[in-house]
Amino acid sequence: MQPYERKQLLERVEREGATVGAEIPETIEVQGEEIDLRTFVFEIKRRETVPAGERDRVEQAKRNLRRERLERVERIEEGDIDREEGEELARSVIGIDRALNALESLGPTDLEREQQATEAADRKRWMSFLKKALGQDDDASARRGR
């Protein structure tokens, strides 16, 4: 493969919006293991949130996909490959990016923790409001010299 061809492929996989219109690969080999990537992503995406039991599996899948993406990009950059293999690698990298985008865009994974954080923030705002309304605002007291 010519250096300019490598450069073109690398620019293509790093281009903003490269995943627009791209499909998630049906299957992909990640670290020697064949994964039904499209099925996995659609199975996870059809739920509103990731169930507690699935969180670790999804996070591990994302880590593995990122690692596999990096390895494939490095093969395009430095590997002894021909143009056809480079094209296939570029398509697979874009497909991995598409899968990662889908997995990253999932809703909150822990609704209970999010609800507790929201309630804590609401309590804090309410207490701040009450302190100001009752004239117990620490900042205002300090400014008045008390």
Side-chain angles (χ1 to χ4, degrees):
M1 177 181 307
Q2 299 296 321
Y4 75 91
E5 292 173 317
R6 281 183 203 277
K7 185 177 177 185
Q8 287 175 336
L9 291 174
L10 291 168
E11 285 175 357
R12 190 167 99 201
V13 299
E14 298 300 335
R15 186 178 314 140
E16 189 75 27
T19 60
V20 173
E23 290 189 2
I24 297 172
E26 188 69 40
T27 60
I28 191 168
E29 188 173 318
V30 176
Q31 300 182 355
E33 183 182 335
E34 190 79 16
I35 297 173
D36 295 328
L37 186 58
R38 188 178 301 165
T39 302
F40 173 74
V41 171
F42 286 129
E43 170 190 317
I44 297 299
K45 284 284 290 181
R46 71 179 164 83
R47 305 174 190 165
E48 286 184 27
T49 62
V50 179
E54 295 285 309
R55 261 184 248 132
D56 290 339
R57 183 175 163 218
V58 170
E59 290 304 315
Q60 184 63 44
K62 289 192 294 190
R63 282 191 297 273
N64 288 342
L65 286 171
R66 284 188 203 103
R67 188 177 306 119
E68 186 64 29
R69 181 195 190 282
L70 182 62
E71 289 174 11
R72 290 175 187 222
V73 169
E74 286 174 354
R75 280 184 55 206
I76 293 171
E77 288 175 335
E78 303 163 3
D80 184 20
I81 57 175
D82 60 21
R83 176 75 181 179
E84 186 177 318
E85 188 178 357
E87 286 286 341
E88 181 56 38
L89 283 169
R91 275 193 297 279
S92 69
V93 167
I94 292 170
I96 290 171
D97 286 346
R98 180 79 168 91
L100 282 168
N101 287 345
L103 293 173
E104 295 289 347
S105 70
L106 293 173
T109 56
D110 191 345
L111 292 178
E112 187 175 315
R113 187 173 22 190
E114 185 175 303
Q115 182 180 2
Q116 289 172 350
T118 301
E119 288 173 359
D122 288 345
R123 277 193 303 274
K124 186 175 181 178
R125 281 192 299 274
W126 180 244
M127 291 305 293
S128 176
F129 170 77
L130 287 176
K131 283 181 179 182
K132 286 180 182 178
L134 297 172
Q136 297 175 355
D137 185 13
D138 293 334
D139 292 340
S141 298
R143 284 192 300 264
R144 289 190 295 250
R146 292 186 192 174

